Amino acid sequence: QVHRGTLLPPSSPQKVAVKVQYPGVADSIESDLSNLSMLVTATGLAPPGLFLENVIRVGRDELKVECDYSREVVHHKRFQSLISSDPTLVKERFVVPKVIEEMCTDRILVTEYVPGGTIDKVVDLDQAERNRIGRAILRLTML
């Protein structure tokens, strides 16, 4: 869950985005995947040839990474550094919000709030602008 918030430091209020992990989510991964594996095996829902153990293992690994907010802070800061050091992406107005580390925990991630748009709005723009956005996204993915 991501929420908007406002930090009220002594100087001036700062708008922030606050990502909060529900209590117990990280702890429930193992039992939830074990239950899923048991259910799929018992009901025969898995298609022939599916290596269920591998699917569960990869799912477990991915979910654990998703729940590791300390790791996310490290990667977020690295991505911010990469974007902000690329003149083309800066010119194209790509921004990665700054992490407010003193407010982060293992279960809470706080960044500055940066308003933006959604990619589905691009369809309403003229072709030249869609091309510009497409080139910028392509450059972003090639970093």
Side-chain angles (χ1 to χ4, degrees):
Q1 288 271 337
V2 179
H3 306 276
R4 281 194 208 181
T6 304
L7 293 180
L8 300 172
S11 54
S12 65
Q14 180 181 7
K15 295 199 180 301
V16 294
V18 182
K19 183 177 177 182
V20 180
Q21 188 179 116
Y22 282 114
V25 166
D27 298 331
S28 70
I29 292 171
E30 196 63 45
S31 65
D32 288 352
L33 289 175
S34 293
N35 289 338
L36 176 63
S37 179
M38 198 168 35
L39 178 68
V40 169
T41 301
T43 60
L45 289 174
L50 176 72
F51 295 101
L52 184 60
E53 301 81 23
N54 289 341
V55 172
I56 296 294
R57 180 184 46 76
V58 169
R60 178 182 299 112
D61 293 346
E62 292 295 322
L63 288 169
K64 285 182 179 179
V65 166
E66 279 295 313
C67 290
D68 187 348
Y69 284 15
S70 298
R71 177 185 164 125
E72 187 167 344
V73 165
V74 169
H75 290 284
H76 187 110
K77 289 169 55 179
R78 182 169 190 278
F79 193 63
Q80 182 199 25
S81 174
L82 288 169
I83 298 299
S84 65
S85 66
D86 185 303
T88 303
L89 293 176
V90 170
K91 179 181 163 226
E92 295 294 343
R93 300 185 314 262
F94 279 88
V95 176
V96 178
K98 291 182 179 86
V99 172
I100 303 170
E101 286 190 70
E102 63 272 14
M103 300 301 295
C104 296
T105 70
D106 289 344
R107 304 286 187 248
I108 298 172
L109 174 63
V110 182
T111 67
E112 67 179 338
Y113 175 75
V114 176
T118 56
I119 194 69
D120 62 315
K121 304 288 191 258
V122 172
V123 73
D124 298 326
L125 303 174
D126 64 62
Q127 188 63 51
E129 184 64 1
R130 292 195 316 242
N131 290 348
R132 183 192 70 77
I133 292 168
R135 281 190 299 273
I137 291 172
L138 185 59
R139 178 165 180 88
L140 175 68
T141 61
M142 297 299 176
L143 265 179

